[in-house]
Amino acid sequence: METLKAYLSGPILGKTWTEASIWRLQAEEELKPYYECLNPVGDEMPWPGVITNDLIPAQHSVWTLRRDLDWVERADVVLVNTDRWTSVGTIIEMGWAFALKIPIVVAGPQPDHHWLRQMVLVRFDELRCALRSLTEPVTVGYLTHARKNRYFLK
């Protein structure tokens, strides 16, 4: 069986490297048997302190935007882990996934905007519950079938 791809979306700006990467590393480990995880923090060098827009050169910003949207497009599912709905990058990634009919699974609070709520296939309060749901045989089978036909039903 071909390995599914999961894009790991969530806030990076305003986070330390550890805060931005720890849950992604956990997700990679737990999803490993079923998914290749596309981790936007994984190939970044650890940065000192909290990342802000002032620390990101324009060329790097363009490169990461293109890479991240390409990875969303290649994904079979987008896993969003967030503690707040203020990350512009996360919201753009969700919109791109929704437009491409890629299912979005959220670990975190209920989105505060009705459009975001409509984009989400399923939401969990805790990351561990979202990860468990993604490894259920029925979910893996559904996503494998959906990949071939590039659709999902809400």
Side-chain angles (χ1 to χ4, degrees), residues 3 35-36 40 56 59 76 79 81 85 100 120 134 138 148:
T3 304
Y35 299 87
E36 172 191 345
I56 304 171
Q59 298 88 343
D76 298 296
L79 173 61
N81 185 37
W85 288 103
L100 295 170
V120 174
L134 287 172
V138 69
K148 292 177 186 164

Side-chain angles (χ1 to χ4, degrees), residues 4-131:
L4 295 166
K5 291 180 177 60
Y7 180 77
L8 307 179
S9 179
I12 295 173
L13 281 177
K15 302 276 188 184
T16 65
W17 186 87
T18 301
E19 291 169 336
S21 64
I22 192 104
W23 77 266
R24 289 175 169 93
L25 297 173
Q26 177 189 354
E28 285 179 339
E29 187 61 33
E30 292 189 33
L31 296 176
K32 191 183 300 183
Y34 307 97
Y35 299 87
E36 172 191 345
C37 290
L38 305 171
N39 178 354
V41 179
D43 58 355
E44 298 286 333
M45 294 297 294
W47 55 80
V50 173
I51 189 104
T52 64
N53 278 320
D54 301 339
L55 298 176
I56 304 171
Q59 298 88 343
H60 183 73
S61 195
V62 169
W63 180 84
T64 56
L65 171 66
R66 289 182 177 150
R67 179 205 60 194
D68 293 357
L69 294 182
D70 177 61
W71 281 1
V72 168
E73 195 167 336
R74 290 176 34 210
D76 298 296
V77 64
V78 171
L79 173 61
V80 176
N81 185 37
T82 188
D83 55 354
R84 55 185 163 58
W85 288 103
T86 57
S87 170
V88 173
T90 300
I91 292 168
I92 289 171
E93 291 164 351
M94 288 177 66
W96 188 242
F98 184 77
L100 295 170
K101 299 183 178 173
I102 298 166
I104 300 166
V105 175
V106 170
Q110 181 75 0
D112 53 6
H113 193 281
H114 61 98
W115 280 13
L116 293 176
R117 288 192 295 272
Q118 292 304 311
M119 290 181 198
V120 174
L121 179 64
V122 63
R123 184 192 69 81
F124 299 91
D125 290 329
E126 298 178 18
L127 178 62
R128 67 180 177 79
C129 297
L131 293 172

